[in-house]
Amino acid sequence: MRHVSIKDIARAAKVSHPTVSRALRHSPLVRSETAKEIRKIAETMGYRPSAIGRSLATRKTNMIGVVVTTIADPFIADVVRGIEDTANEFGYSVFLANSNANPDREIQVVHSFHERRVDGILVAASRVGALYVPLLSRLRVPIVLINNQHPDEPDEFVRSVMIDNIKASSAVMSHLIGLGHRRIAYIGDKSGFQSDTERFAGYRRSLELASYAFSPELVVHGDGKAEGGLQAMEKLLQIADPPTAVFCYNDMSALGALRTLCAQGIRVPADISLIGFDDLAIASYTSPLLTTVRQPKQQMGRIAMQMLLDTFSGVESKSSIKVEGELILRESTAPPSWCDGNAN
Amino acid sequence: MRHVSIKDIARAAKVSHPTVSRALRHSPLVRSETAKEIRKIAETMGYRPSAIGRSLATRKTNMIGVVVTTIADPFIADVVRGIEDTANEFGYSVFLANSNANPDREIQVVHSFHERRVDGILVAASRVGALYVPLLSRLRVPIVLINNQHPDEPDEFVRSVMIDNIKASSAVMSHLIGLGHRRIAYIGDKSGFQSDTERFAGYRRSLELASYAFSPELVVHGDGKAEGGLQAMEKLLQIADPPTAVFCYNDMSALGALRTLCAQGIRVPADISLIGFDDLAIASYTSPLLTTVRQPKQQMGRIAMQMLLDTFSGVESKSSIKVEGELILRESTAPPSWCDGNAN
DNA sequence: TCCAGTTCTGCACACGTGTTCAAGTGTTGA
DNA sequence: TCAACACTTGAACACGTGTGCAGAACTGGA
């Protein structure tokens, strides 16, 4: 026999297995001396309850599934950490699955979670398109999307947490414009994803508000990773009239851009200002330190998990939460070189 | 009724539930037309088998547990990615749990995995002490430790994957010594962990082999993170006769050290050479690019998972695997400044 | 001593799937 | 026509836990 079951204990204690079940769960229905005796025997026999058996009986697994594009992304890793901490605190275990940014794989993973009867699903930075939410909804499992990359319609089962991109993006632009920059470039992600779209929207709106011209050649798309930022910056430097400041979609892109600038001997921020988004740990260790927008990554994970827990316990909660970013001023931004310290 | 079960399908198809079970699993025991009909009905009813029920019957969960200190560590994130990819490929789901480097929590997590009846457990960078392996072994669950931080005795249930620290460390030192450095510092992790101990052993042995003096003041302990490296480097710079090269326990420490050097206007590698360990993604985006030892992180995860799979299928395999690091020469090392290009 | 009420215990079933075994049906060959 | 065989199906049970309900055991009061 592989594992001790309550039936084994029942035999040893000369009682029935329901009595054991109740004793172990401290039910008041069982005489306290009997219960104590049973628990002692269980302890001696090295009993560990089977979550499988329990799940089958209670129709509750205390498991949640987390889908990420890739856990190797430091942004996502932080979010997952927040999720896992909260989940663990409340007795939930976390399934982790990488979709590798492959929509088919992502859907397959969700089905696998469904078959395991997880109590809820969290999805970080989904890359799946418009039909996704209805598909998820059909599973009738509570779901929270974190920084979902496609606009989602409200839904009974699908909730969401995301950062207020437009607001944060506007803060970035205010900072740069306030320093005196007029030619500000934008290095984005691959086209079509929501956080890119929204941050770009904030960029454009800020230019308009300041009555500055929008120059399409100042907008370059990377891939959200360092390599893309590196190449995007190379392109920007080839323009006849290059920008004096660059707003990067995220810190990884900024890191790549910084690399290009450094390799070409261009000083940051003396020659060009650079600003990122996310506030990854690395942003505090680059040279110069990177000015960026802090996303409360762990907290977003905690909030998402908390939304699930609320759903489980029937607490009514908002179907969509927007968190605020915070502009972190460090060393990578300064007034443009032609500007002697005071803007315009 | 919440989920469709094989009994529901059985009713609809006017057969018994064992027949449905067999039909869905393409058993040759059921007539092919019947099977086809049953599968059609299952499809129509939106049936998804319950992994819970199946696990209970088969005593196999196709789940594995992964314990990490924290998923926010980029080294560990890469390892986990390798694990998850391989697991997914073979139909296994992965539980992820952070121990936050807290031994009690780590043990608690292992028990939780045990209760969920995972088929195997992977532990990355365990911080639990000597009694750990016997404890794990008592669970009678196959376990693979990855870069375990305490020396482990061979055991029937507990296997391990680790990097050959001494060899890699020696390669680092050969490189620095070959460049002409004689005063080489070592920035370590907190004392007492195996990878630190071994890398330090390689450091000392290399000095001995070269007949260079070992100076205790050149050895400083950080915390394995950037902050620790930063402070350790500050200490090193206060020495009367500072080192011309610094071997950092890992890339995060090196990143911190680099920050200190940069802040104090000390040029790398012109004034001081710096070398890391791990080859994190960031190492390719620092200025200067960081020379380091590449650990095959994802591959280590794959190997560990493969060892579990081998155990499941009864394949005999080695109980301990050592993988080799690879010295990656980039820009952060050069001959010492007093040395005109040719060593000694 | 007996009854009513309380406290405790066990039977039977449920949850969803898989497997063994016996029995049913149809086929082939003598 | 019958036996031997292959093919197909379903009854019964297993896996480990939880729960409604009936009944047993105990308690206290008259």
Side-chain angles (χ1 to χ4, degrees), chain B residues 160-166 198 318 320-324:
Chain B
S160 69
V161 181
M162 53 178 54
I163 186 137
D164 191 334
N165 280 307
I166 297 193
E198 291 182 355
K318 287 164 70 177
S320 172
I321 291 183
K322 267 211 167 110
V323 300
E324 305 235 329

Side-chain angles (χ1 to χ4, degrees), chain B residues 313-332:
Chain B
S313 53
V315 175
E316 281 295 318
S317 61
K318 287 164 70 177
S319 83
S320 172
I321 291 183
K322 267 211 167 110
V323 300
E324 305 235 329
E326 182 194 356
L327 185 63
I328 307 286
L329 299 177
R330 294 210 180 89
E331 303 170 352
S332 66

Side-chain angles (χ1 to χ4, degrees), chain A residues 2-4 48-53 55-56 61-63 70-72 77-78 80-81 84-85 88 91-98 100 105 108-109 111-112 114-117 139-141 226-227 230 255-256 259 262 282 284-289 331, chain B residues 2-4 48-53 55-56 61-63 70-72 77-78 80-81 84-85 88 91-98 100 105 108-109 111-112 114-117 139-141 226-227 230 255-256 259 262 282 284-289 331:
Chain A
R2 193 61 204 289
H3 289 279
V4 235
R48 287 277 156 183
S50 159
I52 302 290
S55 296
L56 194 57
T61 56
N62 278 42
M63 306 187 302
T70 164
I71 191 65
D78 267 354
V80 170
R81 190 154 188 283
E84 206 273 327
D85 279 356
N88 196 292
Y92 283 78
S93 291
V94 170
F95 278 123
L96 180 80
N98 300 46
N100 296 332
R105 173 91 178 263
Q108 175 202 325
V109 159
H111 277 135
S112 142
H114 181 51
E115 293 190 356
R116 295 198 181 277
R117 303 293 189 257
L139 301 181
R140 330 205 88 235
V141 174
E227 187 57 28
L230 190 150
L255 203 64
R259 178 72 206 142
C262 187
I282 337 163
S284 308
Y285 292 95
T286 51
S287 302
L289 301 186
E331 306 171 350
Chain B
R2 193 63 205 285
H3 288 280
V4 211
R48 287 275 157 186
S50 157
I52 302 289
S55 295
L56 194 58
T61 56
N62 278 41
M63 307 187 302
T70 164
I71 192 65
D78 266 355
V80 170
R81 189 155 190 281
E84 206 273 327
D85 279 356
N88 196 291
Y92 283 78
S93 291
V94 170
F95 276 122
L96 180 80
N98 299 43
N100 296 332
R105 173 93 178 262
Q108 175 202 327
V109 159
H111 278 135
S112 142
H114 180 52
E115 293 191 356
R116 296 198 181 277
R117 301 294 188 259
L139 302 181
R140 329 205 90 236
V141 174
E227 187 57 27
L230 190 148
L255 204 63
R259 178 72 207 142
C262 188
I282 337 161
S284 309
Y285 292 95
T286 51
S287 302
L289 301 187
E331 303 170 352

Side-chain angles (χ1 to χ4, degrees), chain A residues 62-325:
Chain A
N62 278 42
M63 306 187 302
I64 65 139
V66 176
V67 192
V68 302
T69 50
T70 164
I71 191 65
D73 179 326
F75 176 85
I76 289 175
D78 267 354
V79 173
V80 170
R81 190 154 188 283
I83 293 171
E84 206 273 327
D85 279 356
T86 309
N88 196 292
E89 189 180 331
F90 289 89
Y92 283 78
S93 291
V94 170
F95 278 123
L96 180 80
N98 300 46
S99 70
N100 296 332
N102 174 349
D104 291 341
R105 173 91 178 263
E106 180 165 334
I107 286 170
Q108 175 202 325
V109 159
V110 168
H111 277 135
S112 142
F113 285 164
H114 181 51
E115 293 190 356
R116 295 198 181 277
R117 303 293 189 257
V118 295
D119 294 333
I121 295 181
L122 295 174
V123 184
S126 166
R127 300 261 159 152
V128 185
L131 289 170
Y132 191 47
V133 167
L135 180 137
L136 292 181
S137 186
R138 217 174 309 139
L139 301 181
R140 330 205 88 235
V141 174
I143 293 178
V144 180
L145 305 175
I146 303 166
N147 277 6
N148 188 30
Q149 294 296 10
H150 290 271
D152 37 304
E153 55 248 59
D155 183 287
E156 181 190 359
F157 285 96
V158 183
R159 299 169 135 67
S160 67
V161 180
M162 53 178 53
I163 186 139
D164 190 334
N165 281 306
I166 296 192
K167 195 164 178 185
S169 177
S170 303
V172 164
M173 291 300 286
S174 297
H175 171 59
L176 293 177
I177 290 172
L179 286 171
H181 293 279
R182 301 191 65 140
R183 278 188 73 73
I184 303 171
Y186 177 78
I187 296 183
D189 198 345
K190 286 177 198 150
S191 304
F193 295 126
Q194 188 164 19
S195 41
D196 178 60
T197 307
E198 292 182 354
R199 288 171 205 174
F200 178 64
Y203 165 83
R204 278 211 68 164
R205 209 182 56 180
S206 297
L207 287 181
E208 271 170 36
L209 286 177
S211 307
Y212 288 172
F214 166 67
S215 315
E217 78 270 19
L218 289 182
V219 176
V220 187
H221 286 279
D223 58 1
K225 300 180 216 161
E227 187 57 28
L230 190 150
Q231 292 169 4
M233 184 53 101
E234 283 172 353
K235 277 189 206 157
L236 285 175
L237 292 177
Q238 285 163 6
I239 299 177
D241 183 9
T244 61
V246 180
F247 172 18
C248 297
Y249 162 77
N250 65 7
D251 285 353
M252 289 310 288
S253 304
L255 203 64
L258 187 59
R259 178 72 206 142
T260 295
L261 292 168
C262 187
Q264 303 209 7
I266 298 170
R267 292 163 306 162
V268 178
D271 301 326
I272 282 192
S273 283
L274 195 64
I275 197 162
F277 206 109
D278 286 353
D279 192 30
L280 301 182
I282 337 163
S284 308
Y285 292 95
T286 51
S287 302
L289 301 186
L290 192 63
T291 291
T292 187
V293 173
R294 173 173 298 158
Q295 290 202 59
K297 301 174 279 297
Q298 261 189 255
Q299 197 199 338
M300 288 171 77
R302 303 192 82 93
I303 290 174
M305 186 64 214
Q306 195 60 55
M307 286 174 85
L308 270 192
L309 292 169
D310 286 349
T311 311
F312 297 159
S313 53
V315 176
E316 281 296 318
S317 62
K318 287 165 72 176
S319 83
S320 172
I321 290 183
K322 267 210 168 113
V323 299
E324 305 235 331

Side-chain angles (χ1 to χ4, degrees), chain B residues 25-196:
Chain B
R25 292 153 32 74
H26 292 82
S27 157
L29 287 177
V30 56
R31 196 156 56 101
S32 65
E33 296 114 71
T34 318
K36 200 170 286 178
E37 177 66 16
I38 290 174
R39 283 194 293 268
K40 210 175 88 189
I41 294 178
E43 169 82 27
T44 312
M45 297 177 74
Y47 172 74
R48 287 275 157 186
S50 157
I52 302 289
R54 181 176 292 163
S55 295
L56 194 58
T58 59
R59 263 147 297 177
K60 245 277 223 168
T61 56
N62 278 41
M63 307 187 302
I64 65 141
V66 176
V67 191
V68 301
T69 51
T70 164
I71 192 65
D73 179 325
F75 176 85
I76 289 176
D78 266 355
V79 172
V80 170
R81 189 155 190 281
I83 292 171
E84 206 273 327
D85 279 356
T86 309
N88 196 291
E89 189 180 330
F90 289 90
Y92 283 78
S93 291
V94 170
F95 276 122
L96 180 80
N98 299 43
S99 71
N100 296 332
N102 174 350
D104 291 341
R105 173 93 178 262
E106 181 167 333
I107 287 170
Q108 175 202 327
V109 159
V110 168
H111 278 135
S112 142
F113 285 165
H114 180 52
E115 293 191 356
R116 296 198 181 277
R117 301 294 188 259
V118 296
D119 294 333
I121 294 180
L122 296 175
V123 184
S126 166
R127 301 257 159 155
V128 186
L131 289 169
Y132 192 47
V133 166
L135 181 137
L136 292 181
S137 186
R138 215 173 312 138
L139 302 181
R140 329 205 90 236
V141 174
I143 292 179
V144 180
L145 305 175
I146 303 166
N147 277 6
N148 189 30
Q149 294 295 12
H150 290 271
D152 37 306
E153 53 248 61
D155 183 289
E156 182 191 357
F157 286 97
V158 182
R159 298 168 135 68
S160 69
V161 181
M162 53 178 54
I163 186 137
D164 191 334
N165 280 307
I166 297 193
K167 195 164 176 183
S169 177
S170 303
V172 164
M173 292 299 287
S174 297
H175 170 61
L176 293 177
I177 290 171
L179 285 171
H181 294 279
R182 300 190 67 140
R183 278 188 75 75
I184 303 172
Y186 176 79
I187 296 183
D189 198 345
K190 285 177 199 147
S191 303
F193 295 127
Q194 188 163 20
S195 41
D196 178 61

